[in-house]
Amino acid sequence: MKDMMLLVEPLIPALRRYARSLMRADAAGADDLVQDCLERAITRWHQRRTDGDARTWLFSILHNLAVNRMRQRARRGRDVPIEDAAEAATARPPTQEAGLRHRELLQALDQLPEEQRSVLLLVSVEDLSYAEAAKVLDVPIGTVMSRLSRGRERLLRIMEDAEASGRPATLRPPSLRSVK
């Protein structure tokens, strides 16, 4: 233990300098890094090569800890005290309902006849104009408009029937927009 202290103690100022250069302006973070490095060195002293240089080993530990900490920070993002955080950053609406609504909509779309589903998807999802959808399907524009109208009505009915059959009231049919 005494030989460990004789080797490690004189290296602490150099470790602090290196940690501060790695952590830039975060002096407290640099001190924590040195403390973690020393803790790791003490607990793993028996794993050190006796023929190796203790200084190199300590700087390697410090460097690896710093890299891990920077990666962790990049993954987690910046730390903000809860009092300073914007409400929008801490409160988010639940996503489960949207997923259920999406699944129900896909099931309802599967129940539509192919010609209505195709027109509905081309116009409402792919944002094609009526003329472009007519060209894609090789039908007159009037047919596109008729199929779109019938498809929307049928989709709404399917969604309302699904809701009436016992699904939660929160799963309202989506609002379909009109694209010309």
Side-chain angles (χ1 to χ4, degrees):
M1 182 75 160
K2 188 168 177 103
D3 64 329
M4 177 179 59
M5 292 305 294
L6 290 173
L7 288 172
V8 172
E9 193 171 354
L11 297 174
I12 293 175
L15 289 170
R16 288 186 78 207
R17 275 193 308 273
Y18 186 55
R20 285 190 183 213
S21 69
L22 288 174
M23 300 303 286
R24 294 189 179 99
D26 187 11
D31 289 341
D32 290 343
L33 190 63
V34 171
Q35 183 175 348
D36 290 346
C37 172
L38 293 173
E39 176 188 357
R40 187 164 289 189
I42 291 168
T43 59
R44 292 180 174 87
W45 187 257
H46 64 282
Q47 294 176 349
R48 183 183 68 84
R49 292 184 187 158
T50 53
D51 62 339
D53 182 22
R55 179 182 178 161
T56 307
W57 185 63
L58 285 169
F59 274 93
S60 296
I61 292 172
L62 182 74
H63 179 80
N64 291 336
L65 286 171
V67 168
N68 289 343
R69 206 165 272 177
M70 286 184 251
R71 285 181 183 157
Q72 185 180 42
R73 242 187 228 145
R75 274 193 318 269
R76 289 185 177 171
R78 201 176 62 117
D79 289 337
V80 177
I82 193 75
E83 302 82 33
D84 298 340
E87 185 177 337
T90 57
R92 293 190 180 116
T95 59
Q96 298 91 342
E97 185 179 318
L100 291 171
R101 185 178 296 125
H102 182 257
R103 187 174 58 206
E104 186 175 304
L105 177 62
L106 291 177
Q107 289 171 351
L109 277 170
D110 285 340
Q111 295 177 31
L112 291 177
E114 178 58 37
E115 65 271 356
Q116 291 176 1
R117 182 176 346 124
S118 298
V119 171
L120 194 63
L121 292 173
L122 287 173
V123 173
S124 298
V125 177
E126 299 302 327
D127 207 22
L128 268 61
S129 69
Y130 291 176
E132 291 169 330
K135 216 179 262 186
V136 168
L137 298 172
D138 195 29
V139 294
I141 292 178
T143 304
V144 167
M145 294 168 67
S146 173
R147 288 179 183 175
L148 182 63
S149 175
R150 287 194 317 266
R152 285 178 175 167
E153 287 174 16
R154 191 168 196 171
L155 183 65
L156 186 60
R157 235 180 300 118
I158 292 169
M159 298 287 285
E160 286 173 346
D161 290 346
E163 186 177 324
S165 69
R167 288 207 175 86
T170 56
L171 298 178
R172 302 248 183 262
S175 58
L176 298 174
R177 61 188 177 86
S178 176
V179 178
K180 294 185 182 180

